[in-house]
Amino acid sequence: STAQRQDVAPHRGRIGFNRSFLVNTYYPLYANFFAALGFEPVIADSPSKQGIDQRNAAFCYPAELAHGFFHALLSADPAPDYIFLPHFKSIPLHDGTESSQVCPLVQGEPFYLTATFARELQALKRRGVKVLTPLIDLSLGLARAAQPLVATARQMGIDRKSAEQAFQIALQQQKACLAEMQAVGTQALTDLEKDPERIAVVLFARPYNGFVEEAHMGIPHKLATRGVMVIPLDFLPMDDNSAKRHMYWGMGQIILSIARLVKRHPQLFGTYITNFSCGPDSFIIGYFRAIMQRKPSLTLELDSHTADAGLETRIEAFLDIIAAYRQLLAQRRLPAPEHTFTPAKTLLEGKAAKVVTSNGETLSLTDPRVTLLLPS
């Protein structure tokens, strides 16, 4: 929710935000900061197909949507007085890990969007619209946003004291939002554990591809309508000591930390929403699956051409596999059978290779019962 706070600040105009990437996480910070200074936040309701078609390269699906929403924002009537398009570099992690960068397409958003829509921006600039592109690096915490946001307010003609007060208001709103998310997640786990027969699916995704209607293809709804509790990963607590060495990506650190929690919890299962052409996920998904080991998980790779029927089928199959997996775990709690299976093996007797069958019989490789397979 955005505090307009027009009781303490005069109405100074309208400021537009692109409905893209990590604006989905830090909108309480941005919108409350400018609202406290008297600016009305503006955001597009839906992406423009024309804007998506104007992209100058092959982008991932979230970057396509960023083009669409930005074009819709530029086409707003009346136009906003300012457009806030930050160069966002890194996210804060609870353990203070500084390797928390966001993907290059997220970092580069102000550069390729202003290049793609240069003609539209020039027309707006002639009408007095200003584009604000501060560098925001949150690797050392949310408070690090103070300097770039206050500097931005100064560019807009706001005095430093008012800007600093507005930042404190916005910071508290952002912290309150994140705390509420954690509280909801904690309560969800408590409710889940009251009934050991229930399961919950944790959504592993970025806020901009797994938690927003325009990008997740209805996946959370498809799970929920089948009676499954759905929990976004940022509603669950990170393990402060679980940072992975050499993990450069901030979202990668969060995903792997929550993956360890899901692996340990018998009622939690992971669904990983990713996008075609996602460079970071080409590594992170491998780490994610290594953590899950034999525990079932579902990976759904999306783009603008993803078919709804395929998602339905894979989700149904995933839930069936979870049910079978849990049944097998229950059976393992029974006493072990008296006779256990012994796998076959090969050995050398002098220079002769032999095969020892699971029944203990020794055969030569030339025995007709032996089939020798040579890998490529």
Side-chain angles (χ1 to χ4, degrees), residues 36-55:
L37 295 173
F39 294 94
E40 177 189 352
V42 177
I43 198 162
D45 292 328
S46 58
S48 157
K49 177 67 165 60
Q50 181 183 348
I52 293 175
D53 290 343
Q54 281 184 237
R55 66 191 187 278

Side-chain angles (χ1 to χ4, degrees), residues 289-308:
R289 290 174 176 167
I291 290 171
M292 289 300 160
Q293 296 177 333
R294 297 181 65 184
K295 188 169 191 177
S297 65
L298 174 64
T299 303
L300 297 171
E301 198 168 18
L302 309 180
D303 65 10
S304 56
H305 305 292
T306 299
D308 185 75

Side-chain angles (χ1 to χ4, degrees), residues 27 47 76 85 121 148 152 214 239 269 277 288-289 299 341 346 370:
Y27 185 77
L85 190 64
L121 286 169
T152 299
E214 61 267 15
D239 180 351
F269 295 84
S277 304
F288 169 80
R289 290 174 176 167
T299 303
F341 175 76
T346 58
V370 175

Side-chain angles (χ1 to χ4, degrees), residues 347-369:
L347 55 82
L348 279 175
E349 288 185 354
K351 294 184 178 181
K354 303 285 185 179
V355 174
V356 180
T357 70
S358 58
N359 295 326
E361 186 179 1
T362 301
L363 305 174
S364 71
L365 289 187
T366 57
D367 190 287
R369 289 171 290 175

Side-chain angles (χ1 to χ4, degrees), residues 205-347:
R206 280 106 175 126
Y208 49 84
N209 76 338
F211 309 148
V212 291
E213 295 285 346
E214 61 267 15
H216 62 41
M217 306 284 184
I219 291 167
H221 305 303
K222 295 179 190 301
L223 290 162
T225 54
R226 289 169 169 82
V228 178
M229 180 188 292
V230 179
I231 307 174
L233 88 166
D234 50 7
F235 279 56
L236 296 175
M238 276 189 68
D239 180 351
D240 288 347
N241 298 313
S242 67
K244 182 174 180 62
R245 287 185 63 204
H246 312 309
M247 173 49 66
Y248 182 76
W249 311 109
M251 285 305 304
Q253 295 282 9
I254 295 173
I255 287 169
L256 299 186
S257 175
I258 303 301
R260 294 183 182 94
L261 168 65
V262 171
K263 176 64 171 66
R264 295 192 301 266
H265 198 295
Q267 292 170 266
L268 296 181
F269 295 84
T271 289
Y272 199 124
I273 299 176
T274 184
N275 299 106
F276 291 98
S277 304
C278 180
D281 274 353
S282 65
F283 297 92
I284 297 169
I285 288 174
Y287 291 134
F288 169 80
R289 290 174 176 167
I291 290 171
M292 289 300 160
Q293 296 177 333
R294 297 181 65 184
K295 188 169 191 177
S297 65
L298 174 64
T299 303
L300 297 171
E301 198 168 18
L302 309 180
D303 65 10
S304 56
H305 305 292
T306 299
D308 185 75
L311 296 177
E312 293 277 3
T313 302
R314 295 186 66 189
I315 288 170
E316 287 280 7
F318 176 51
L319 296 179
D320 288 344
I321 290 168
I322 290 174
Y325 172 79
R326 292 183 52 135
Q327 186 176 5
L328 283 172
L329 287 183
Q331 291 172 353
R332 283 183 180 180
R333 297 190 184 101
L334 299 175
E338 292 182 6
H339 302 289
T340 57
F341 175 76
T342 302
K345 62 181 180 179
T346 58
L347 55 82

